Structures are given as C-alpha cells and as structure tokens.
Amino acid sequence: MLTLGVIGCGYWGPNLVRNFYSQPDTRVTKVADLSRERLQHMETLFPALETTQDHRELIEDPGLDAIVISTPVTTHYKLAKEALEAGKHVFLEKPLTHNAAESLELVKLAEAKGLVGMVGHTFLYSPAVMKIKELVDAGELGEVQYISTIRVNLGLFQDDINVVWDLAPHDISIFNFIFGSVPDRVNAVGHDYIQPEIEDVAFLTFRYPKGKLAHVHVSWLDPNKIRKTTVVGSKKMLVYDDVSTLEKIRVYDKGVDVHRHYDTFGEFHLAYRFGDISIPKLADGEPLKAETAHFLDCIRKGTPCRSSFLHGHQVVVALEHACRSMGDSGGETAIDYGL
Ligand SMILES: NC(=O)c1ccc[n+]([C@@H]2O[C@H](COP(=O)([O-])OP(=O)(O)OC[C@H]3O[C@@H](n4cnc5c(N)ncnc54)[C@H](O)[C@@H]3O)[C@@H](O)[C@H]2O)c1
C-alpha cells in the first residue's frame, strides 16, 4: 500500500487526486491548498480526505510515502525541496521549476536521497504520443528529419508566466521523447500584445543533433484551438491532431526521392511519392491514469521514470534558453544543461 498527499487543488489537482484514488493498493489521505474554498470542494468530491491549508502537515506526516504537487510553477521548487528533504517521493506538475538552477538542484537532491522524482509531462503517457514513438523507433517513418507543432487557442492568459512556460513544456517534452535526444541550440521570437512583459505569442526553433529541427508555435491569441504536430521522416510523414476525437494520427506514405541526373552533371531529379494514408489504431485509456500508474510503479519497482526530474530539467533549460533568445531579438543561443 502506498499512501499519498496532494498539495494544490485548483484546476488540475483534483484530476490527479481522482486518478491516484483509482489506482490499486494506493491511498490519498490528505490534501493541502491555501484556499479554504478549494478544500471544501475537495471535501465534497472525496469525503474521506483530510484537508489542510498548511502543506507542512503533509510533508511532516510520517504516514505519507509520496507528495504530489500541483501548484503554480513559481512554488514548485520550494515545495518539492521540502518534500524530498523529508524523504518523500515527489510527483510534480510540469514544468519542473521556473529556472534551471533550481531544477538541477532538485534532480541532484532526488538522486542523492534515492527518491523517485517525476514530472507531470502528461503527453508522454498519451496513447497518441506512445504510438508515434513506437512508429519512429520501428523505423516506419525512416529517419525523422524535423517536427513542427502548433499549440494555440484564445487564452487562457496567465499573469505569472508567459505563453512559452505555459504551453511549450508539452512540445519540448514530446520532441525530446521522440528524438531520444535534447536540443543543442534554440532561437525564438515572441511578443506581448495583451499584458506588458508577458509574451502571449511565440515561435521557437530548436536544433537537435544530426541536423534535426523542431519548431513550435504557441499562442494565447488565436481564434482557433489547434493542437497539431507534424513529424517528417525520410520515408513517411505523420500528422497528429490532438483535437480530433476519432483520427488523431494519420500516416502519409508521401515523400520525395532524389535521383542524381547523370546526363547533366550536378542536376538532381526529384520524384514525388504519393502513397496510402493510414490511420493507426490507438490504445484506449486516459493519459493521467497511465501517468499516475507509472509513478507508483517506479516507486514500487525502483525503475526509471519516463518523465524523470532529469527529463523535466532538460525541458526547463530549453525553455529558459528560448526565453533568453526572445529577449535577445531572436538570436540563436547554445543550450547549456549544466550537467
Ligand atoms: N499536465 C497538464 O496537462 C497540466 C494541465 C494544467 C495544469 N498543469 C500544471 O498544474 C499546476 C497547477 O495548475 P492549475 O491550473 O491547477 O493552477 P491553479 O492556479 O488553478 O491551482 C493551483 C492551486 O495551488 C494552490 N496553492 C498555491 N500555493 C500553495 C501552497 N503553498 N500550498 C498549498 N496550495 C497552494 C492554490 O491555492 C490553487 O488552488 C501547474 O504547474 C500547471 O502547469 C498541468
């Protein structure tokens, strides 16, 4: 039996409580939130829960094996550090922290204490992203050349972080997972159209090893909700539309074959291929259920986390460098992970 406490019961926290609640041999006994109103809401949803406005009551409770944190990003470092120092395994919502020095410290602290540290990069547990990874690793698309994503909507405007910190953690986490590597360089441009000094639209380009590129457009200022990822491989191309309910992934047997034209030296002949379009069947299941099960599994079996604190740190570093480039009019910057 693993016993958990959850800090932060705003918009996202109740989803985590519900999913951890439904896992076998697992109990959620306590939740903390600064807001009395949110705690009353939790008491209505889960009458057996103990509630408190003081998170230290959870961290100091010897009966809790792990702490789940779903508070605003600027509070993550302090809460996670306290929990790790008290010997608790930690599940922390994304992004891991709001700066790389703090995320690196958490990576090292969890490692030194031999505790599981996992970040809620939910997409790594979604059937669609798992299927893309499976297809890429099986060589179905050939060599992946570049990935391009659009994650835009009207709102929800945040007042403590910009759109890059709000939305791009998902994309960078997906890029790193699919490529199986981390970016070397980034350049980014963005603008603050609505709230001063909080960028609401941004375009980021990452360079990965072996000439691979990844681009993400994030915005809170767009008429449509679009969540689209295009993965271009040397053999096939794939489009993942997360908003679609029935056909999230389409694999296009399309591409360009390059033949050297020997009559006229140096000329190339391009042959376009237009083949079948296939729609792979995806596994059923809620990503959060898989994600919460994975955390418990890592604690029980001592196995590595797919979205470990190290993965979370690599995302934070990439975000920080992207914002540095935005502040430098889009100049390309080398990414230093400090490892
Ligand atoms: N994985 C995902 O897809 C996903 C989706 C949404 C949000 N999130 C993440 O979840 C986290 C929370 O986001 P949200 O939208 O629920 O925010 P929110 O503002 O709705 O809720 C945060 C809650 O934390 C509470 N809180 C703040 N400091 C606290 C403290 N010291 N002790 C106890 N409670 C405290 C607040 O009172 C609030 O109720 C963020 O890191 C966000 O990025 C992840």
Side-chain angles (χ1 to χ4, degrees):
M1 180 65 70
L2 286 173
T3 308
L4 316 180
V6 178
I7 305 177
C9 303
Y11 159 64
W12 197 246
N15 294 329
L16 292 168
V17 174
R18 176 173 53 81
N19 275 279
F20 276 117
Y21 231 86
S22 70
Q23 299 291 347
D25 300 324
T26 309
R27 287 184 307 190
V28 182
T29 53
K30 285 187 180 169
V31 298
D33 200 292
L34 297 177
S35 153
R36 193 57 238 155
E37 204 185 319
R38 292 308 299 167
L39 292 177
Q40 276 160 0
H41 177 65
M42 296 307 286
E43 285 159 9
T44 313
L45 291 179
F46 306 95
L49 273 181
E50 271 181 60
T51 60
T52 172
Q53 284 175 290
D54 184 356
H55 72 271
R56 282 169 306 185
E57 281 186 36
L58 274 61
I59 283 171
E60 288 163 10
D61 182 344
L64 297 184
D65 302 294
I67 301 288
V68 175
I69 302 169
S70 182
T71 55
V73 60
T74 45
T75 65
H76 286 183
Y77 165 73
K78 179 181 169 292
L79 294 172
K81 190 174 173 193
E82 280 181 41
L84 290 170
E85 280 172 345
K88 312 290 187 199
H89 301 288
V90 173
F91 175 101
L92 185 51
E93 256 316 322
K94 61 85 207 164
L96 176 52
T97 62
H98 200 223
N99 73 63
E102 290 177 352
S103 59
L104 185 57
E105 201 185 318
L106 293 183
V107 171
K108 289 183 174 166
L109 184 57
E111 218 172 74
K113 293 263 183 189
L115 294 165
V116 173
M118 174 164 154
V119 188
H121 284 296
T122 326
F123 279 91
L124 302 198
Y125 304 90
S126 79
V129 173
M130 292 300 293
K131 175 57 78 177
I132 296 173
K133 178 72 175 159
E134 183 190 311
L135 293 171
V136 166
D137 286 355
E140 258 315 286
L141 309 185
E143 189 71 23
V144 175
Q145 294 165 328
Y146 79 90
I147 308 177
S148 168
T149 69
I150 308 176
R151 193 176 295 278
V152 300
N153 201 10
L154 190 60
L156 296 170
F157 283 82
Q158 313 279 322
D159 55 16
D160 56 343
I161 50 170
N162 66 17
V163 72
V164 173
W165 283 90
D166 184 35
L167 298 182
H170 291 308
D171 302 284
I172 299 168
S173 163
I174 294 170
F175 296 155
N176 290 1
F177 181 57
I178 293 177
F179 281 139
S181 60
V182 293
D184 302 325
R185 307 184 72 81
V186 59
N187 72 282
V189 289
H191 202 80
D192 52 343
Y193 290 103
I194 304 295
Q195 304 179 97
E197 293 181 30
I198 302 181
E199 288 87 354
D200 33 53
V201 59
F203 304 85
L204 325 179
T205 305
F206 295 97
R207 290 185 187 277
Y208 282 76
K210 299 189 196 157
K212 296 174 193 296
L213 284 176
H215 180 262
V216 50
H217 168 201
V218 282
S219 177
W220 294 324
L221 201 54
D222 194 282
N224 294 310
K225 177 169 178 166
I226 306 174
R227 304 278 187 263
K228 202 172 264 191
T229 302
T230 305
V231 184
V232 171
S234 55
K235 279 175 23 192
K236 292 184 185 172
M237 303 174 177
L238 176 156
V239 176
Y240 157 38
D241 181 356
D242 196 50
V243 177
S244 165
T245 44
L246 290 177
E247 299 176 358
K248 279 196 190 297
I249 295 181
R250 284 172 164 249
V251 181
Y252 295 80
D253 185 7
K254 280 188 177 185
V256 188
D257 296 322
V258 184
H259 304 289
R260 190 73 177 262
H261 203 283
Y262 286 103
D263 296 344
T264 17
F265 179 75
E267 276 191 17
F268 291 90
H269 173 68
L270 301 183
Y272 296 95
R273 241 180 326 100
F274 297 94
D276 291 341
I277 300 170
S278 57
I279 299 164
K281 179 164 169 36
L282 302 183
D284 291 328
E286 193 184 348
L288 260 186
K289 187 152 190 178
E291 183 184 57
T292 47
H294 183 70
F295 177 61
L296 299 167
D297 234 38
C298 292
I299 297 175
R300 290 192 174 111
K301 298 181 184 158
T303 44
C305 276
R306 193 178 306 152
S307 53
S308 63
F309 272 11
L310 177 60
H311 176 89
H313 167 67
Q314 288 161 337
V315 171
V316 167
V317 173
L319 291 166
E320 198 173 76
H321 283 74
C323 289
R324 203 171 292 162
S325 167
M326 276 198 315
D328 181 31
S329 311
E332 189 171 274
T333 155
I335 304 180
D336 175 6
Y337 292 91
L339 293 165

